[in-house]
Amino acid sequence: MRKKLLLLSVGWLVCSFGVGQNPVTGKLTLEEAIKIAHARSPQAQMVQLSFMSQYWSFRSYKAQLLPSLNLSGNLGNYNRSLVDVRDPETGRISYVANNTLSNDLSVYINQKIALTGGNVSLNTSLARLDQFSYDTKTYNSNPVTINYTQPLRSFNTLKWQKKTEPLQYEKAKKQYLESLEGITLQTTSYFFSVLSAQTSYRKSEENLRDTRGMYKIAQQRHDIGTVTKSELLQLELSMMNAELTVSNSKVDLEVALFNFKSYLGVAESTFFELQPPMNVPEVFMEYDFVLNKALQNSSHNLSLKIKELNSLKSVAQAKADRGIQVELRANLGFSQTGDDLQGVYSRLKDREVVGLSLSMPIYDWGMSRGRVKMAEAEARLARTELEQEETKFQQDIRIKVMQFNNQARQCNISAKALQVAEERYDITKKRFQNGGITVTDLNTAQKELDSASEQYINQLRTFWNAYFELRKLSLYDFISKRDISAEFDKIVEK
């Protein structure tokens, strides 16, 4: 690429920012801007916090499957009041004074059973009742008690969570990487917005200098009669328009810089040079390879699986809630009462409580049946939507691959067009100085050069946007040829 092309496309970008205690200096490439955005931008922090929320949600789910040790009790329950007492022989109710203090404490280990949906617990408890009116105290102990609760027809929530929660966490990992790639895309957009505004500003300054020079030459030629008054006025008008363009493009550049620095989350402390990615890498993408990587690495497949499982879960829950509900309860252990602690832990008595509880709607006007049918219809609708999403996903990748493979050629054509426009403008400017062409021809060549310069930057922007979009879809780096990953353990430890 010629030196003048580099001058038009690169230029110096005067702005400032620092990263932590180490300010950035020198040239800032697109890759370095992306690294800064990943490390410092508010969006990156939001992505990290979102992933940590999903991580702790998964940890909470796993904790449900582990035994939990709990302590509960009621301490210092003092009761001084009148209570009603019924005589067992006559049935007469009378009120007597009550003056008691009760305390109880229990420790229990609780374990949920995901396979059956049951719950088992191992419990030990001790209670003390002080009756001050009779100057007595009574202890009640349950040294060892095993409780088991088992729904026989109810919906097993843990069973379905065991299927969906690991997928949700894996999906969160993929979405974290995809969100970072989304930050990459946005950073690229801001980067090229600044680059485009910078190029327009520098080009408008050059145009203004050239127009002023041409206007002076035109004045001299007007004095000797080789340029008409109309042509001189036309060039003067072009000069004033160029001054307006410089002013407007300067404001556009300042706005683009402000948006760029705000998105990166950086401080204004040092100067740096913005260096555009002038060299387009030679990357050719094959649709089948990109699709396989997308299905393997992205969150798309996991999202479809989770949606399918949730639809099946709704059907299973609707069927489980229909008809008779039965629950088995068992309580086995030992207990004893006594006047002192030694007495309540000796000669323990067996304690067995076993029973079934059930409920069954006799007639609900078809409500349960309607819920099942509705859940089944929604499951069929979900399957149809999933098939459409899968087809749309594949079509989207196919289109993006075709567009990307064509974009490299577009960049090369635009670079050549810019080079031709530069040469044409140089020739036209010299011919005008020599009196060979009119002001209109000079303005036309200048506009063509401006258009070619802007088109080249836009083609570069389109190329990198297309590349990063496919990288986000596939979570694969096609330049370094490796899957995109992250050290999630370190993310959680932050």
Side-chain angles (χ1 to χ4, degrees):
M1 197 65 64
R2 292 190 175 184
K3 183 177 180 181
K4 189 167 184 180
L5 176 60
L6 290 172
L7 178 64
L8 291 176
S9 301
V10 180
W12 281 90
L13 172 65
V14 180
C15 75
S16 56
F17 69 88
V19 180
Q21 300 299 323
N22 300 316
V24 174
T25 58
K27 297 180 179 180
L28 181 69
T29 64
L30 175 59
E31 182 180 1
E32 291 168 343
I34 291 170
K35 289 181 179 178
I36 294 171
H38 286 183
R40 287 293 306 273
S41 70
Q43 287 71 20
Q45 297 176 27
M46 292 171 61
V47 168
Q48 180 179 331
L49 292 174
S50 177
F51 171 74
M52 291 180 66
S53 174
Q54 293 293 329
Y55 168 78
W56 286 110
S57 175
F58 181 66
R59 283 286 301 271
S60 298
Y61 153 72
K62 291 183 68 176
Q64 295 183 58
L65 305 178
L66 300 175
S68 61
L69 180 62
N70 305 277
L71 172 68
S72 65
N74 295 287
L75 303 177
N77 292 317
Y78 180 70
N79 187 348
R80 184 176 182 180
S81 61
L82 294 176
V83 296
D84 57 325
V85 177
R86 182 184 294 274
D87 190 309
E89 295 182 357
T90 63
R92 180 179 178 180
I93 297 176
S94 58
Y95 290 90
V96 298
N98 178 53
N99 188 9
T100 62
L101 176 67
S102 62
N103 296 275
D104 65 82
L105 196 66
S106 63
V107 178
Y108 60 94
I109 299 175
N110 192 56
Q111 173 67 63
K112 294 181 179 180
I113 304 173
L115 182 63
T116 63
N119 186 80
V120 62
S121 64
L122 180 64
N123 178 72
T124 180
S125 64
L126 176 65
R128 170 174 167 166
L129 177 64
D130 290 87
Q131 300 184 76
F132 299 113
S133 300
Y134 305 103
D135 193 23
T136 61
K137 62 179 180 293
T138 305
Y139 290 92
N140 180 33
S141 72
N142 292 278
V144 179
T145 304
I146 299 177
N147 294 287
Y148 183 71
T149 304
Q150 176 60 61
L152 300 180
R153 289 197 73 255
S154 299
F155 177 71
N156 187 353
T157 303
L158 280 179
K159 175 183 175 182
W160 286 94
Q161 284 184 332
K162 198 170 183 179
K163 295 179 180 180
T164 58
E165 289 298 328
L167 294 179
Q168 289 282 11
Y169 182 55
E170 289 301 316
K171 177 184 173 183
K173 290 182 179 179
K174 305 293 187 182
Q175 287 180 330
Y176 172 81
L177 297 174
E178 290 169 349
S179 297
L180 287 184
E181 291 304 303
I183 292 175
T184 298
L185 269 170
Q186 191 61 52
T187 303
T188 303
S189 177
Y190 281 122
F191 185 93
F192 277 99
S193 293
V194 173
L195 184 62
S196 178
Q198 171 189 291
T199 304
S200 297
Y201 176 63
R202 290 187 60 83
K203 193 67 185 72
S204 66
E205 286 186 319
E206 291 183 3
N207 289 343
L208 179 59
R209 286 194 298 268
D210 288 346
T211 305
R212 283 172 176 171
M214 296 300 103
Y215 180 72
K216 290 180 181 180
I217 295 174
Q219 284 180 319
Q220 298 173 357
R221 291 174 57 191
H222 177 264
D223 293 338
I224 62 176
T226 58
V227 170
T228 65
K229 181 66 175 179
S230 176
E231 290 177 324
L232 182 63
L233 292 175
Q234 183 180 1
L235 196 56
E236 184 179 3
L237 179 61
S238 297
M239 185 173 61
M240 289 187 289
N241 288 334
E243 291 176 350
L244 291 174
T245 302
V246 169
S247 178
N248 292 332
S249 60
K250 183 178 180 181
V251 173
D252 292 340
L253 176 58
E254 290 175 350
V255 172
L257 279 173
F258 176 79
N259 292 333
F260 184 52
K261 291 186 288 185
S262 297
Y263 187 79
L264 292 182
V266 295
E268 299 185 3
S269 60
T270 58
F271 295 102
F272 69 92
E273 178 187 358
L274 188 66
Q275 184 175 359
M278 300 300 297
N279 297 323
V280 175
E282 295 182 1
V283 178
F284 182 81
M285 298 190 184
E286 296 181 357
Y287 166 71
D288 291 336
F289 179 81
V290 177
L291 178 61
N292 289 335
K293 282 295 179 182
L295 296 177
Q296 174 186 338
N297 295 339
S298 73
S299 64
H300 176 75
N301 258 3
L302 292 175
S303 297
L304 297 184
K305 289 180 182 178
I306 292 171
K307 287 181 180 180
E308 183 178 7
L309 285 173
N310 284 334
S311 66
L312 296 176
K313 171 185 172 183
S314 298
V315 175
Q317 185 171 7
K319 289 181 177 180
D321 293 342
R322 180 184 180 185
I324 186 172
Q325 303 295 314
V326 182
E327 186 177 70
L328 170 67
R329 291 193 180 95
N331 187 305
L332 308 175
F334 302 95
S335 64
Q336 184 59 280
T337 61
D339 297 333
D340 53 42
L341 288 175
Q342 183 177 0
V344 295
Y345 286 102
S346 62
R347 290 178 292 181
L348 300 175
K349 297 179 180 179
D350 292 342
R351 185 170 185 267
E352 296 94 12
V353 179
V354 179
L356 291 174
S357 65
L358 60 88
S359 64
M360 182 181 66
I362 297 177
Y363 192 74
D364 63 357
W365 306 95
M367 181 177 62
S368 299
R369 181 173 179 272
R371 288 175 178 172
V372 173
K373 293 297 182 182
M374 181 176 63
E376 291 176 343
E378 290 177 351
R380 289 195 296 269
L381 175 62
R383 283 194 294 271
T384 302
E385 291 176 346
L386 293 179
E387 292 174 357
Q388 291 179 344
E389 287 184 27
E390 181 67 23
T391 302
K392 184 177 181 301
F393 182 74
Q394 295 181 14
Q395 291 176 345
D396 188 38
I397 290 179
R398 183 182 294 275
I399 293 172
K400 290 184 182 301
V401 167
M402 288 190 298
Q403 290 174 339
F404 174 81
N405 288 334
N406 183 58
Q407 191 57 38
R409 182 171 177 269
Q410 297 291 99
C411 290
N412 292 332
I413 293 175
S414 296
K416 293 178 181 179
L418 178 56
Q419 184 176 354
V420 171
E422 287 176 344
E423 294 178 357
R424 166 172 157 72
Y425 179 71
D426 290 339
I427 293 172
T428 304
K429 186 166 62 173
K430 291 178 181 178
R431 290 184 64 190
F432 177 81
Q433 293 172 348
N434 297 330
I437 60 172
T438 64
V439 174
T440 301
D441 295 329
L442 177 65
N443 289 338
T444 300
Q446 189 179 73
K447 290 178 181 179
E448 288 176 351
L449 177 58
D450 293 345
S451 177
S453 178
E454 181 180 358
Q455 178 67 19
Y456 179 63
I457 296 298
N458 288 335
Q459 291 298 334
L460 281 177
R461 181 207 299 260
T462 302
F463 174 87
W464 286 107
N465 280 339
Y467 174 78
F468 287 126
E469 282 182 1
L470 284 170
R471 204 171 82 161
K472 178 183 178 182
L473 284 172
S474 61
L475 292 181
Y476 182 80
D477 191 333
F478 297 93
I479 295 177
S480 59
K481 297 182 179 180
R482 61 179 179 83
D483 292 333
I484 297 174
S485 60
E487 296 180 351
F488 294 102
D489 293 339
K490 291 184 178 181
I491 295 172
V492 176
E493 291 173 358
K494 290 183 180 179

